[in-house]
């Protein structure tokens, strides 16, 4: 039989590449930079380094979440139908892989954000030539007429539509239909060969064990089967240079098969006369046996998600007649009461015999009663869930949030309702809250936040998110109220809100960031205001470390001087206040401190000098603007009252 694969000369792959992909976690920097040196990289909750990440990240990722691969000089990301999705620069990655550029943002499950960097490969890296690895799949059974498969270029896609297996459709249509359109793929990494099932209906088996979500390394001599025991092959792995005589012999045979199919067919022995498999060390030593040289495939095709799922012509072991033993089979399931009822009803209706009107009537009445009972149960027990889904589908998020709040008050801890209620609450209220912030209508924003707190009072998932919004609202209110990034830092006024806002964030930055990113996942428009708020927070942290720290030192010096019993204790303060004003130009309110200090010194001087009447009159007219001087008014009054009266 002729080979429809490609000549080996046309299957060459680049031996080197110019860049590695580096994923820099932005949302969770504790994970560390992830440098990808292989052509294919798996993202999933069981894959390193994600498996060792924080619990909230691992929980949100799917087992087979996404794949990052490099092909034809470009990097791509493919989502594998994950539960919580993958986004590239805020856009969903769906069925089709998307090319990556330097600086792109990848977000997995709406929680793990990474910045993409295309970094040059190290010059001293050892190059592993995947073409020097040859995979031979020799049919385990010699009575089926299957050809050995030789793979010299990777990846190799196992597909019912590819010529490698489609050529057997006429002879074995049922067995070919056990394969999926995207059944499995074989790839090379660092000189090793791996096989990964792509979510096929009937599975991929290595030594009789069905593969789960992860790729498995193939060993020389292992038994590899696709979809059952018909397409079962013994694995042969050979490593060597392209100039190896065996590969040269393979190339010559491939060309002979392409140029002279008739002659190759005449030379081939009947299928039932093939007594031995191709030796592992010499994949094509048996020159009387035809061999299919598999053409290379593309990761772009392999990781395009097939939304159609199982095709009409694809069968599963559960629905098919039993085959010969070899690959695992699921145990037959016991027939349930409903299945028995359906069969009986079919017989009564004449599916396998003459119609029996009495049986039809009896079973029809039973069927009607069952349907009515089932409908009543669904109505009574499923009404809130149905209503919630209907409201969410219609975009009536405010009504959905109200429904969830009422339901959770009666059924606390319902995780499904908590999740749906959280999404409804965010989508219903946060747009209006954002509009209030943008208009600097902070009292209106507080009212919306209070409404959200009421609707989240029974929702354990929503309450922390609303708390983050309350904090963010206070941050933005303070930020805009004081005048933005270049605003002054006012003594005895700005220190407390700055330190309290920062302290609230610092109690658990990762948890706060996770909650805010969850809001972004529900409402992408929240992303920009959220980024602005974090920028404002960083500016406040800088102000806290410089200006607030300076103010605390100055206030401590003022307190110490006021508490000192010496009469000259206040003499150094005016120069100190002026010095702080010169060194920290954004400090504000120092003029008020100067005025209070001047008035305080005058009253104290008059009282000590016996000018009690003048001191008393000054006390009646003075209004100190700063706390430390306000606190000492009683002391000044006592000093004035105790002062000796001067004799005129």
């Amino acid at each position: 039989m002729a080979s429809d694969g490609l000549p080996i000369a046309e299957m060459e792959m680049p031996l080197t590449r110019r860049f590695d992909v580096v994923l820099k976690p932005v949302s969770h920097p504790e994970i560390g930079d992830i440098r990808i040196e292989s052509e294919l990289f798996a993202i999933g909750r069981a894959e390193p380094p994600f498996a060792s990440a924080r619990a909230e990240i691992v929980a949100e990722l799917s087992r087979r979440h996404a794949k990052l691969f490099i092909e034809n000089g470009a990097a791509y990301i493919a989502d594998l139908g994950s539960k919580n999705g993958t986004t590239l620069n805020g856009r969903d990655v769906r069925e089709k892989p998307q090319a990556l550029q330097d600086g792109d943002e990848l977000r997995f499950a709406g929680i793990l954000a990474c910045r993409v960097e295309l970094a040059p490969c190290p010059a001293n890296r050892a190059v592993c030539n995947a073409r020097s690895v040859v995979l031979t799949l020799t049919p385990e059974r010699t009575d089926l007429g299957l050809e050995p498969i030789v793979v010299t270029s990777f990846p190799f896609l196992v597909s019912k539509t590819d010529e490698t297996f489609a050529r057997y459709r006429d002879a074995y249509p049922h067995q070919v239909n056990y394969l999926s359109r995207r059944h499995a793929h074989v790839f090379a990494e660092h000189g090793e060969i791996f096989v990964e099932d792509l979510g096929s209906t009937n599975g991929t088996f290595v030594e009789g064990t069905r593969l789960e979500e992860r790729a498995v390394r193939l060993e020389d001599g292992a038994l590899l089967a696709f979809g059952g025991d018909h397409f079962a092959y013994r694995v042969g792995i050979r490593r060597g240079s392209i100039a190896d005589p065996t590969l040269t012999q393979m190339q010559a045979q491939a060309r002979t098969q392409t140029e002279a199919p008739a002659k190759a067919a005449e030379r081939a022995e009947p299928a039932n006369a093939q007594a031995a498999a191709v030796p592992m060390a010499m994949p094509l030593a048996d020159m009387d046996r035809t061999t299919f040289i598999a053409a290379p495939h593309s990761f772009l095709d392999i990781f395009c998600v097939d939304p159609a799922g199982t095709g009409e012509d694809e069968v599963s072991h559960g629905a098919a007649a039993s085959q010969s033993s070899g690959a695992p089979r699921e145990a037959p399931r016991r027939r349930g009461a409903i299945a028995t009822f359906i069969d009986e009803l079919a017989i009564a209706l004449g599916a396998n015999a003459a119609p029996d009107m009495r049986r039809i009537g009896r079973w029809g009445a039973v069927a009607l009663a069952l349907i009515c009972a089932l409908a009543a149960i669904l109505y009574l027990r499923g009404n809130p869930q149905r209503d919630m889904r209907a409201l969410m589908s219609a975009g009536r998020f405010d009504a959905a949030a109200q429904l969830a709040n009422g339901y959770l008050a009666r059924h606390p801890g319902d995780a499904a309702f908590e999740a749906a209620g959280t999404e409804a609450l965010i989508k219903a209220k946060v747009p209006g809250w954002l509009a209030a912030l943008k208009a600097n209508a902070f009292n209106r924003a507080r009212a919306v936040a209070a409404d959200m707190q009421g609707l989240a009072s029974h929702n354990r998932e929503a309450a922390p998110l609303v708390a983050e919004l309350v904090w963010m609202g206070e941050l933005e209110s303070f930020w805009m109220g004081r005048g933005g990034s270049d605003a002054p830092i006012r003594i005895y006024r700005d220190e407390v809100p700055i330190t309290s806002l920062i302290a609230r964030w610092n109690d658990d930055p990762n948890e706060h960031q996770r909650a805010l990113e969850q809001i972004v996942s529900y409402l992408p428009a929240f992303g920009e205001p959220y980024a602005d708020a974090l920028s404002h927070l960083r500016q406040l942290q800088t102000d806290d470390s410089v200006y607030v720290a300076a103010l605390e030192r100055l206030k401590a010096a003022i307190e110490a001087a006021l508490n000192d019993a010496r009469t000259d204790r206040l003499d150094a303060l005016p120069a100190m206040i002026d010095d702080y004003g010169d060194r920290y130009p954004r400090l504000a309110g120092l003029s008020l401190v100067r005025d209070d200090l001047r008035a305080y010194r005058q009253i104290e001087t008059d009282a000590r000098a016996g000018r009690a009447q003048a001191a008393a009159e000054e006390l009646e007219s003075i209004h100190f603007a700063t706390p430390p001087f306000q606190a000492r008014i009683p002391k000044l009054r006592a000093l004035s009252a105790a002062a000796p009266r001067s004799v005129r």
Side-chain angles (χ1 to χ4, degrees):
M1 185 173 184
S3 169
D4 290 331
L6 298 179
I8 292 177
E10 298 178 12
M11 294 190 289
E12 295 186 4
M13 297 177 63
L15 302 185
T16 60
R17 70 169 192 259
R18 294 172 295 177
F19 64 87
D20 289 339
V21 177
V22 180
L23 298 182
K24 293 179 170 292
V26 176
S27 59
H28 297 78
E30 72 276 4
I31 295 178
D33 290 357
I34 305 169
R35 191 178 189 100
I36 300 170
E37 299 179 353
S38 57
E39 305 294 328
L40 183 64
F41 180 74
I43 294 100
R45 65 168 175 256
E47 304 288 347
F50 310 103
S52 58
R54 296 180 60 178
E56 65 267 20
I57 301 176
V58 177
E60 295 298 320
L61 292 175
S62 299
R63 288 187 178 275
R64 296 182 71 250
H65 195 100
K67 291 280 188 178
L68 192 152
F69 59 90
I70 298 175
E71 187 167 87
N72 299 326
Y76 297 86
I77 185 68
D79 186 82
L80 303 181
S82 62
K83 177 183 177 182
N84 295 319
T86 302
T87 61
L88 174 62
N89 297 325
R91 295 185 176 182
D92 286 340
V93 178
R94 297 186 184 275
E95 292 83 8
K96 184 179 179 181
Q98 300 295 316
L100 299 177
Q101 302 293 332
D102 193 77
D104 283 347
E105 183 189 83
L106 276 174
R107 188 178 293 271
F108 304 105
I111 188 173
L112 176 58
C114 297
R115 187 70 60 191
V116 175
E117 179 181 307
L118 304 183
C121 291
N124 59 350
R125 178 187 295 166
V127 178
C128 178
N129 182 359
R131 286 195 60 248
S132 65
V133 183
V134 179
L135 170 68
T136 303
L137 300 179
T138 305
E140 178 72 359
R141 295 178 58 181
T142 61
D143 60 335
L144 299 177
L146 303 182
E147 299 176 3
I149 303 169
V150 175
V151 185
T152 61
S153 289
F154 300 91
F156 168 58
L157 174 66
V158 176
S159 169
K160 66 192 300 178
T161 62
D162 188 78
E163 183 62 19
T164 311
F165 297 97
R167 58 179 50 227
Y168 302 114
R169 184 172 294 279
D170 290 340
Y172 302 107
H174 197 66
Q175 284 74 16
V176 170
N177 284 337
Y178 279 125
L179 302 179
S180 300
R181 289 176 175 82
R182 293 171 57 260
H183 193 101
H185 76 115
V186 181
F187 62 96
E189 184 175 302
H190 303 304
E192 301 292 342
I193 304 296
F194 293 82
V195 63
E196 180 180 26
D197 188 81
L198 296 173
S200 64
T201 301
N202 296 308
T204 301
F205 303 86
V206 175
E207 294 295 348
T209 300
R210 183 165 182 165
L211 302 188
E212 299 298 335
E213 293 88 354
R214 302 187 66 184
V216 171
R217 183 165 64 92
L218 286 177
E219 301 285 354
D220 189 74
L223 180 63
L224 176 62
F226 306 109
D229 61 352
H230 186 87
F231 293 108
Y233 299 88
R234 191 65 62 177
V235 172
I237 299 175
R238 180 179 176 83
R239 296 174 175 84
S241 169
I242 191 62
D244 189 295
T246 302
L247 298 185
T248 304
Q249 186 179 22
M250 289 165 56
Q251 184 178 9
Q253 183 176 4
R255 289 173 178 167
T256 300
Q257 292 174 344
T258 302
E259 295 168 359
K263 184 175 179 180
E266 291 175 0
R267 188 172 62 246
E269 294 181 2
N272 57 9
Q274 297 176 357
V278 179
M280 293 301 105
M282 296 291 288
L284 295 180
D286 184 357
M287 295 299 294
D288 287 333
R289 190 171 188 179
T290 56
T291 302
F292 186 77
I293 310 295
H297 295 85
S298 167
F299 282 129
L300 290 170
D301 295 330
I302 290 173
F303 293 114
C304 278
V305 177
D306 181 7
T310 304
E312 294 180 357
D313 58 346
E314 184 175 325
V315 298
S316 64
H317 287 308
S322 60
Q323 300 183 17
S324 56
S325 60
R329 296 286 190 273
E330 294 182 2
R333 299 179 180 178
R334 297 181 60 185
R335 295 176 56 81
I338 294 178
T340 304
F341 163 74
I342 292 173
D343 286 350
E344 289 286 342
L345 183 60
I347 294 173
L349 293 173
N352 296 315
D356 186 336
M357 299 309 296
R358 295 179 61 187
R359 296 182 70 185
I360 290 175
R362 183 173 67 253
W363 283 108
V366 173
L368 181 60
L370 286 175
I371 291 172
C372 292
L374 181 60
I377 292 172
L378 290 176
Y379 180 80
L380 293 174
R381 300 185 62 181
N383 189 40
Q385 288 80 0
R386 285 201 314 275
D387 289 347
M388 190 70 179
R389 287 193 297 269
L391 291 172
M392 294 292 287
S393 299
R396 298 177 58 192
F397 301 119
D398 199 303
Q402 298 282 353
L403 173 62
N405 182 55
Y407 181 86
L408 290 171
R410 300 187 302 273
H411 305 87
D414 188 314
F417 244 88
E418 286 180 340
T422 300
E423 181 179 359
L425 180 61
I426 296 302
K427 291 181 176 179
K429 300 297 183 181
V430 173
W433 180 83
L434 288 175
L437 288 188
K438 187 175 181 180
N440 293 338
F442 297 109
N443 286 335
R444 177 154 55 94
R446 292 187 182 97
V448 176
D451 189 19
M452 285 192 282
Q453 286 177 315
L455 290 173
S457 58
H458 304 292
N459 191 331
R460 299 170 302 176
E461 182 175 332
L465 306 191
V466 176
E468 297 299 329
L469 293 173
V470 171
W471 170 85
M472 182 173 159
E474 294 306 317
L475 171 66
E476 294 303 282
S477 175
F478 174 75
W479 180 264
M480 297 306 298
R482 73 167 195 163
S485 59
D486 297 326
I489 312 297
R490 298 163 294 188
I491 190 170
Y492 296 116
R493 184 171 177 178
D494 290 340
E495 305 96 312
V496 171
I498 288 176
T499 55
S500 63
L501 286 169
I502 293 173
R504 165 68 169 73
W505 178 264
N506 287 343
D507 64 5
D508 194 345
N510 290 332
E511 183 61 25
H512 298 316
Q513 193 164 349
R514 184 204 67 79
L516 291 167
E517 287 174 354
Q518 186 175 348
I519 298 174
V520 175
S521 70
Y522 292 133
L523 192 71
F526 182 75
E528 185 175 349
Y530 162 45
D532 291 341
L534 290 189
S535 177
H536 300 162
L537 174 66
R538 286 191 290 271
Q539 181 65 51
L540 289 185
Q541 290 171 330
T542 301
D543 290 344
D544 181 64
S545 63
V546 178
Y547 285 92
V548 173
L551 287 178
E552 293 300 331
R553 294 193 298 270
L554 178 58
K555 291 192 297 184
I558 293 172
E559 284 288 339
L562 290 174
N563 291 330
D564 198 329
R566 295 175 300 170
T567 58
D568 62 346
R569 67 195 186 284
L570 302 178
D571 293 348
L573 285 182
M576 178 181 292
I577 294 171
D578 291 342
D579 178 60
Y580 269 75
D582 293 338
R583 286 195 292 155
Y584 302 97
R586 287 177 57 211
L587 288 184
L590 297 183
S591 61
L592 298 177
V593 178
R594 291 189 188 95
D595 293 343
D596 284 355
L597 176 61
R598 187 180 305 111
Y600 184 92
R601 294 179 72 186
Q602 183 62 51
I603 295 171
E604 187 180 59
T605 300
D606 287 344
R608 291 183 186 279
R611 296 187 290 272
Q613 183 64 30
E617 290 175 356
E618 290 165 351
L619 273 173
E620 289 299 323
S621 62
I622 193 68
H623 176 72
F624 290 118
T626 55
F629 295 99
Q630 292 171 354
R632 283 166 175 80
I633 290 177
K635 177 182 177 182
L636 288 176
R637 285 176 176 161
L639 182 63
S640 175
R645 302 292 175 177
S646 60
V647 180
R648 297 185 178 179

